[in-house]
Amino acid sequence: MLNETAYTLGSNRSCIRELFEYGRKQAAIVGPENVFDYSLGNPSIPAPEEVNQAIRDILADTDSLALHGYTSAVGDYETRKAISDDLNCRYDARTQPEDFFLGCGAAPELVSVFRALAVPGGEILAIAPYFPEYKPFAEESGLIFRVVPPDLPDFQINLTAVESMLTPHTQALILNSPNNPSGVVYTRQTLQALAELLKKKAAEFGHPIYLISDEPYRELVYGGVEVPFVPHIYRDTVICYSYSKSLSLPGERIGYIYVSAQAADSKKLYAAIAGAARGCGHVCAPSLWQKVIARCTHLRPDLESYDRNRKALYEGLTALGYEMAKPDGAFYLFVKAPGGDAAAFSEKAKKKNLLLVPGDDFGCPGYFRVCYCVSYDMIQRSLPVFARLLQE
Ligand code: PLP
């Protein structure tokens, strides 16, 4: 006998991965220059050279036993201190090393936080469009996953819908800004209005409603747009952070959970997160990468090539007549599908070897995602294909 839910999850491949594999196969048949693959959010700028230098330095000056040994489950103090200092310096955040739990990237960190909050009948709200993995993460953790409909056409937050969906069973709301898949950054005003609403409802229900801020794209923002530090706006915040995108390290699996000391029951919550991680088999974040991060928290990505791609696609597609919200962050555009059926449109595009992800899995049918961590050259070659698709 097998666990049926696990079996179903494991045997149904994600639409994004399928498209990506299809693209590889097609490239072998028609040539890579004739495939326009916008499917996968794999960073296309290399990690900063300082990261590689830090690895060499650490290998040269750290005792091998200490380097490759277990660390404490919450992570090395020096790394947590470096992260805390960096946030305090950038946001006047007033964090302490004790508020941090080093994890293996945002995905397992989210699972630990979800599991820590999973009580019988407990609900979590996600705002469409949302990262598709939230659903299995939440449901496997034992939370009821509910989707707040999108705020069209700007993809901020539909507060009227949030208000109507908050119930005494709501344990948390998950937020992702800069957003995958829309590329939108929630404004300070949006976040303040959301915070007021959550405070009001938490008081009415007599228990906290936690805001889980999923921030792998925090530093991927263009044109000086502000990404507010959420705990300043809402006290009961937990941040799940990852270096996968900001330092282009998705295969290394390193990030952190921050539980604001101001949050309701913060010590208990932190312990529950640590316990949930333990229950999932967490031992410690990779020791070498903890040491690298301790030396590299000050580094920021060089966004020049993403920004160039963003402008080329946003301006190119808009000029052709495609519609989308202004993409100020991350490396995605979320485009309204001509004709309204994104799955049909993506299928049509696929026949021309243009790989676009339909929005259905992001909780937002009628749109498709374009991931622009690709070469500038590919963007230029793909624009005539986008044009032909519109004409047909
Ligand atoms: N959250 C969002 C919004 C993402 O887009 C991703 C990855 O694409 C993740 C979480 C998971 O990131 P990580 O590689 O840190 O597990």
Side-chain angles (χ1 to χ4, degrees), residues 74-125:
V74 299
D76 278 339
Y77 181 84
E78 294 70 29
T79 312
R80 290 181 287 127
K81 168 100 173 57
I83 295 169
S84 170
D85 289 348
D86 180 55
L87 289 176
N88 293 351
C89 175
R90 286 160 71 193
Y91 301 108
D92 187 23
R94 278 158 280 156
T95 68
Q96 301 288 329
E98 291 73 15
D99 307 337
F100 294 84
F101 185 96
L102 300 187
C104 303
E109 291 157 15
L110 289 166
V111 171
S112 297
V113 177
F114 289 0
R115 287 175 67 123
L117 295 173
V119 295
E123 297 173 358
I124 181 164
L125 299 188

Side-chain angles (χ1 to χ4, degrees), residues 171-191:
Q171 290 283 87
L173 184 145
I174 178 151
L175 203 71
N176 165 230
S177 173
N179 184 265
N180 174 8
S182 72
V184 162
V185 178
Y186 296 143
T187 64
R188 177 173 285 276
Q189 201 187 7
T190 296
L191 294 172

